[in-house]
Structure formats: C-alpha cells, structure tokens
Amino acid sequence: MRETLREKNLLTNFLAMNNDDRSQNVAHDPKLSLHPLKNYLDLAYVGNITIGTPPQQFKVVFDTGSADLWVPSTYCDSAPCHTHKVFNPFKSTTFRLSGMPVDLTYGSGRMVGFLGYDTVRIGKLVDVVQPFALSQSQFGMEHAPFDGILGLGYRSLAIQGTTPVFDNLKRRGQIIQPVFAFYLSTQKENGSVVMLGGVDHRYHKGELQWIPVSRTHYWQITMSRITMNGVVFGCLHGCEGILDTGTSFLLGPSKLITAIQMLISASPVGHEFAVSCSSVASLPSIVFTINGKDYPVPPQAYIRKSLQGLCLSSLAGGTENVSRSETWILGDVFLRLYFSAYDQGNNRVGLAPAV
C-alpha cells in the first residue's frame, strides 16, 4: 500500500475532494442506514464520520478486523498528523477526558495516545459518550488515505472496559437489528457502502449463505479447504478465516503463500511479487470451501495492475504471527467478490456474490 500511496498527488487529491457526507437512509427501511465509502485504488475503503460538538469531520476505515475508534489529535506531533485532520478536544463542548493510555498496533502502523469520550455521528446515526482514542504519536501511516480507524470487531477485541461504536448504536436504539454489511466496489471510487442496522439485498446476487462465527473476537469462521486446479493447497485439515475489511490483500501462512507465488510463476520485485500481465487470464482460481460451499477467487481478483503497469500479486504471508493454527485473512480482495453481512445477534456471517 505504501508504494502506491507514494504517488502523493493522488493521495492529496483524494483527501481533499471527498468531503461529501450524505448518507442515504433508505425509505423502505427507515432503520437501515446506508453510509457511502470511497474506494482508494482498491486498497482502502474510507467513509466520513464526525466527532464532537460542533462536529469535526474525519475519514475513517470501517474495519471489521479491529474494534476501537481512534483519530489523530492536536496533541500529536508525528509526521502522519501533519498530513491528516486532527481532533481538537477544546473545540468540543461534549468532550470528556478519560486519560487512560492507549497503544494500538495494526498491519499498517501504530498509534499511541489516550482515551476520551464524545458524540460520534455516522450519517444520521448519533452515538453519545462514545469512547475513542486520540493519538499523541503515530507510526507508519503518513500517506494513508484515511485519518483514523473505526473498528467493527467484537467487544472482546476492543480496549478493555470500552464499548465499540456498533455495540453502542445498538444499545441506544439507534439501530434495531444488530447487523451490518459491506458492499465493496472494484476499481470504482464511488458506489461502495457500509450498511448499519440491516442488509440491503439489492447489493448481492442469490441468497446469503450464513456461516457460524467460530470465535467471537474477530469475525472468524472455519474453512474446510483451499484448492487450486482441483488440488488441495492449504487448509488440509480445516483452518480459520478472518473477514477483514481493513486489510487490502488476501493473507495466509508465509509457507503456503510462497508456494502459491511459485505456482503462479510470480517473481519478486522489491517487496512485492509480479507476474507477466499476459499470463493473468490463464492462472488458476484460489477456491475457498466454507460450510460446504465454494468461494472462488479468480486471478483477475488476486492480481492487480500497479500505476507503473506491473501485474502484482495481492497475496501476502505472515498470518503465522496472528495465530498458532492455520489462519487466512480474507481482506478486500475476497470481500469485493462476496458481499458480506455481519450478524452480531446470531454470531454468524453471511456471504453472497456481490452485484
């Protein structure tokens, strides 16, 4: 992501332009809130929220792979805070200080800061006295197309003693159903949506296939196998999959990812792996079998074209650091193909082909 984000002008324009905060509240279902997301080069999906009274606006990643809300603050002097919006607690009449120290690490960097409470608005949804973290220092997110992160994971994943945004919206009756869902567009800046409080079925084809959550922490499910060309390639005795809107790629154990890169004849280019663009169409799909159903990821989905015209693999290793058992992280590469619904009330995830 960092390579792409170095194209600074692109990023500056992206951050400057997209200040549209119109949530469409669908007439036929007044309790379902559709919130638009901007797709930044298929690498991140970013939506606007406000914090404080009067509202201060931020671009955040709606992230199913974490459970905390944080934004940069006026107390931060790191480089990333100079290139992003910062929250000023003194300008908000509803801000309350907790002062508890916070230290959060992500795949793309780290933030250190402290906890506060304030009113958070997502479109028409109002979440009062919401705990969130204010950064004092940030590492690695200088060119990120977002200011902060809004986590949609389970409460057990959040900072101890705090309640995530979605749980609070439910608790305060802002939404009736404890369900949210994502439609992520491909190569289009507009059109992506996070829906809070239900599912707008116009965004997927066929029935949603519901899969039980295997551990209520991440949005984690059990997969039975992973095949390529009909050969079982990973997940030999079953494995775990984490649905993560905050991860751009498809992540797996390093050994298996390296084997796949070899199988598709990808060669290292810097930190990345590239294939010859003329061979993409003939590469095999990666097929995830979950709950008795196959979810193929074709090469057009796991190979992307860089701004320099290289055909790069969107597969990466490293999940052995997340868990001792075999785990795959199904990031945006997977979630663009499959509309995903997250049912907190029944601890299950729904998948169906996206429109």
Side-chain angles (χ1 to χ4, degrees), residues 196-214:
L196 301 167
V199 174
D200 184 337
H201 295 287
R202 294 174 301 179
Y203 285 92
H204 65 80
K205 298 188 280 242
E207 291 280 298
L208 279 174
Q209 300 295 321
W210 292 102
I211 304 146
V213 168
S214 55

Side-chain angles (χ1 to χ4, degrees), residues 21-329:
D21 192 32
R22 283 175 306 192
S23 280
Q24 313 98 302
N25 280 46
V26 195
H28 63 262
D29 190 349
K31 278 295 177 186
L32 170 60
S33 166
L34 291 197
H35 198 64
L37 301 176
K38 291 275 185 188
N39 173 0
Y40 184 74
L41 303 177
D42 278 2
L43 290 169
Y45 293 82
V46 179
N48 291 326
I49 64 164
T50 69
I51 304 178
T53 313
Q56 301 176 40
Q57 185 171 278
F58 298 92
K59 289 186 163 53
V60 294
V61 171
F62 286 78
D63 176 24
T64 58
S66 67
D68 302 301
L69 168 62
W70 69 266
V71 291
S73 82
T74 46
Y75 291 96
C76 171
D77 203 30
S78 310
C81 297
H82 297 303
T83 51
H84 291 90
K85 290 254 181 79
V86 290
F87 179 75
N88 185 342
F90 292 106
K91 285 190 174 163
S92 172
T93 56
T94 42
F95 179 77
R96 297 290 172 270
L97 180 68
S98 143
M100 186 174 111
V102 171
D103 189 335
L104 302 172
T105 303
Y106 297 86
S108 54
R110 176 173 166 225
M111 73 74 70
V112 178
F114 59 91
L115 200 66
Y117 301 87
D118 212 332
T119 301
V120 174
R121 288 183 172 82
I122 307 170
K124 292 193 173 76
L125 302 174
V126 183
D127 172 16
V128 294
V129 202
Q130 173 60 46
F132 72 107
L134 295 80
S135 77
Q136 286 169 296
S137 43
Q138 288 176 216
F139 309 92
M141 291 177 258
E142 195 174 348
H143 305 316
F146 51 86
D147 303 311
I149 294 175
L150 191 155
L152 290 166
Y154 279 92
R155 189 175 179 164
S156 64
L157 191 55
I159 298 163
Q160 215 176 346
T162 68
T163 306
V165 170
F166 188 74
D167 299 50
N168 267 336
L169 289 172
K170 172 77 182 84
R171 209 169 65 178
R172 301 184 198 291
Q174 290 281 309
I175 48 180
I176 289 178
Q177 281 186 296
V179 177
F180 60 89
F182 280 86
Y183 171 75
L184 303 181
S185 68
T186 304
Q187 292 174 342
K188 284 210 334 268
E189 194 175 287
N190 297 316
S192 302
V193 180
V194 58
M195 9 197 121
L196 301 167
V199 174
D200 184 337
H201 295 287
R202 294 174 301 179
Y203 285 92
H204 65 80
K205 298 188 280 242
E207 291 280 298
L208 279 174
Q209 300 295 321
W210 292 102
I211 304 146
V213 168
S214 55
R215 178 174 173 234
T216 55
H217 191 56
Y218 294 105
W219 286 96
Q220 182 171 325
I221 54 178
T222 299
M223 308 195 288
S224 36
R225 63 182 172 277
I226 299 167
T227 51
M228 288 178 83
N229 287 330
V231 179
V232 177
F233 216 89
C235 201
L236 213 53
H237 309 289
C239 61
E240 294 294 287
I242 292 169
L243 298 171
D244 185 0
T245 55
T247 290
S248 316
F249 290 178
L250 202 52
L251 270 54
S254 299
K255 275 184 188 159
L256 293 173
I257 293 292
T258 304
I260 294 176
Q261 310 280 34
M262 283 171 70
L263 181 84
I264 63 173
S265 307
S267 46
V269 177
H271 299 299
E272 309 247 35
F273 281 83
V275 297
S276 113
C277 292
S278 58
S279 74
V280 172
S282 59
L283 295 175
S285 291
I286 303 171
V287 182
F288 294 87
T289 304
I290 306 166
N291 223 17
K293 261 200 136 33
D294 285 349
Y295 296 88
V297 177
Q300 294 78 1
Y302 68 77
I303 302 291
R304 70 191 193 284
K305 208 164 196 160
S306 76
L307 297 167
Q308 291 78 28
L310 288 171
C311 285
L312 299 173
S313 157
S314 294
L315 309 170
T319 60
E320 61 276 8
N321 305 323
V322 175
S323 165
R324 279 199 292 273
S325 60
E326 185 184 331
T327 301
W328 292 72
I329 295 177

